[in-house]
Amino acid sequence: DVFVVQLGGSKRWRIWAPLPRTTDPVKGRHSIVAPRLDELGDPLLAHAHNIFVSQWLQTGAIGVLLLVAVFGTLARQYWRFLRMDDGTMATLGLVGLVLLVSFLVKNITDDFLARPNSKEFWALNAMLLGWGIRRSGMVDVLRVRTAVRTGR
């Protein structure tokens, strides 16, 4: 097996020998060790450009399942917000679902978890979930604050 790649805008072809394989039980039966960025020569080749493929290559099936579980949990909570009678909560749910769906659709052709954009995604989710949970009364904020101050 030989990998042959033409780098963007270049007339030259780059040929790699087979990448070393591991038999790591967590990553899968025969996982491929990713080449280093200096071996690739082009930063566009540094990741899979798909969030699910990238997670599969980095963490195997378990990692993909955990990532899908996280996204499913976010979607379920935003759906709960959307179904509430309070208009503000419904708006929070709608904004959260749009954020999540937009992120997933964009990540079909690129992997934002490999860049600083992921910080913005997680920060927006934390803000929306925190505001929604506090507003909905799912957590008694005063009781939590009092317990923290008194140590109980």
Side-chain angles (χ1 to χ4, degrees), residues 19-144:
L19 297 172
R21 297 178 184 267
T22 64
T23 54
D24 187 351
V26 175
K27 288 185 177 181
R29 185 160 174 223
H30 296 290
S31 297
I32 296 175
V33 177
R36 295 187 323 264
L37 185 58
D38 60 340
E39 291 175 339
L40 293 174
D42 185 0
L44 292 176
L45 300 174
H47 62 280
H49 289 83
N50 181 307
I51 190 169
F52 300 108
V53 173
S54 182
Q55 280 302 116
W56 184 277
L57 291 173
Q58 293 176 34
T59 60
I62 294 171
V64 174
L65 291 175
L66 290 173
L67 183 67
V68 169
V70 167
F71 289 145
T73 302
L74 285 173
R76 184 184 64 177
Q77 188 59 51
Y78 288 137
W79 184 256
R80 286 180 181 167
F81 288 167
L82 185 65
R83 305 277 300 172
M84 291 183 177
D85 293 332
D86 183 4
T88 303
M89 292 302 296
T91 302
L92 281 174
L94 182 62
V95 168
L97 285 173
V98 167
L99 173 69
L100 184 62
V101 168
S102 301
F103 183 78
L104 291 175
V105 167
K106 175 60 181 157
N107 277 290
I108 289 173
T109 60
D110 200 359
D111 184 1
F112 277 153
L113 289 181
R115 296 194 177 131
N117 294 338
S118 68
K119 294 176 188 172
E120 184 177 339
F121 172 73
W122 295 118
L124 287 171
N125 277 294
M127 183 183 68
L128 291 172
L129 290 172
W131 185 14
I133 288 171
R134 183 173 181 166
R135 183 172 173 86
S136 69
M138 291 180 187
V139 174
D140 185 358
V141 177
L142 293 176
R143 185 171 43 111
V144 171

